[in-house]
Amino acid sequence: QVQLVESGGGSVQPGGSLRLSCVASGYTASIASMSWFRQAPGTEREGVAGIYIRGDITRYTDSVKGRFTISLDNSKKTPILQMNSLKPEDTAKYYCAVKSGYFYEPDRVPFDTHNYPYWGQGIQVTVDS
């Protein structure tokens, strides 16, 4: 079992920045990919950024490319989402999710929620004046 706790959310003005982190505990040796999803009211949960921790692979949804950066801290258990140039449309509840890996996977960082068995509780990000 893996437990995930997000932190770093809050409210910022358009153009501002936030830094989200996700602390993983439990059976963390099983983790291969770590991703951030978000969900605004009335919308489907969408993948935002993901990282395959056993290779140099990252993925971003088109709307955040050039503005958001995903990385790992030195523990290799805490994915960091640096969000710059935030826009009102980035307002959503952000979730950390992790999955195990396999010997071969065509897509190491899927953005389909069903691929991720472990989820954090989510943290609110609000971008408004």
Side-chain angles (χ1 to χ4, degrees):
Q1 188 65 240
V2 176
Q3 296 80 43
L4 304 171
V5 179
E6 303 100 334
S7 63
S11 298
V12 297
Q13 299 180 30
S17 298
L18 286 173
R19 183 176 182 269
L20 305 183
S21 63
C22 174
V23 176
S25 61
Y27 190 49
T28 58
S30 67
I31 298 173
S33 300
M34 313 182 85
S35 295
W36 291 94
F37 291 75
R38 67 186 180 188
Q39 186 170 23
T43 70
E44 297 290 331
R45 190 170 299 185
E46 66 169 345
V48 177
I51 184 167
Y52 177 61
I53 67 174
R54 298 172 183 172
D56 189 16
I57 301 173
T58 58
R59 179 183 179 183
Y60 301 91
T61 192
D62 287 343
S63 64
V64 308
K65 289 180 179 177
R67 300 188 298 119
F68 291 10
T69 303
I70 189 170
S71 61
L72 296 175
D73 79 340
N74 290 333
S75 74
K76 309 297 183 183
K77 300 178 181 179
T78 304
I80 306 297
L81 185 65
Q82 180 66 46
M83 305 185 294
N84 298 324
S85 301
L86 283 162
K87 304 175 180 179
E89 51 262 44
D90 295 317
T91 296
K93 193 170 185 179
Y94 284 69
Y95 297 85
C96 177
V98 304
K99 63 182 292 293
S100 60
Y102 303 93
F103 183 77
Y104 175 75
E105 289 182 286
D107 187 357
R108 293 294 189 184
V109 193
F111 276 175
D112 297 319
T113 59
H114 65 84
N115 286 289
Y116 292 84
Y118 305 110
W119 293 82
Q121 292 297 306
I123 189 165
Q124 182 67 36
V125 170
T126 300
V127 185
D128 202 356
S129 299

